[in-house]
Structures are given as C-alpha cells and as structure tokens.
Amino acid sequence: ITPEGSAPMSKKGVLVGPVSHWIESLTHAVTELGVEGVVFWPLQDHERQIANFAELVLPEVRGVFES
C-alpha cells in the first residue's frame, strides 16, 4: 500500500498502489471474479502496511456486502 496520489502498479497477481486502488481492485476481484481470499504480503514497513490493510482496505471491501 503506497501513499494516496502515487501511481498504482499492476503485475500479474501483484497489487501495488494507494488504499483507493486496493479497495477498487479487491472489490472488483470479489464481486466480478469470485475471488474468495487473498494473500497480503507487505514489502516494507510491515506493521504499518498490515494496519493500513486491516483498518482502511478490508472494512471498505467488506462494506460492499453489507449494503
């Protein structure tokens, strides 16, 4: 997860970009492609990355199913 405003990078099976890119990509993967799980592997600053994923990304993706 990179700072907002940074350009997302896409490689097959790898997701790198700001929180908004993660939310959009994971929501699409779950709702349109039927993905049921992901492996999150932070490349640096592990504790902050895990916290961002848990606190900023997952609630938004889960919210798609609650609405």
Side-chain angles (χ1 to χ4, degrees), residues 32-47:
E32 302 297 322
L33 304 176
V35 170
E36 295 181 357
V38 298
V39 174
F40 179 72
W41 192 277
L43 299 177
Q44 58 190 5
D45 196 5
H46 301 109
E47 290 181 16

Side-chain angles (χ1 to χ4, degrees), residues 1 6-7 11 18 26 28-29 34-35 40 43 48 50 62 65:
I1 300 174
S6 60
K11 289 171 65 174
L26 290 178
H28 171 76
V35 170
F40 179 72
L43 299 177
R48 184 179 62 81
I50 291 168
R62 284 184 184 137
F65 300 100

Side-chain angles (χ1 to χ4, degrees), residues 3 41 49-51 55 58:
W41 192 277
Q49 293 289 310
I50 291 168
E55 296 169 6
L58 288 181

Side-chain angles (χ1 to χ4, degrees), residues 13-34:
V14 177
L15 189 57
V16 177
V19 168
S20 58
H21 177 65
W22 278 80
I23 293 168
E24 180 182 321
S25 297
L26 290 178
T27 300
H28 171 76
V30 171
T31 59
E32 302 297 322
L33 304 176

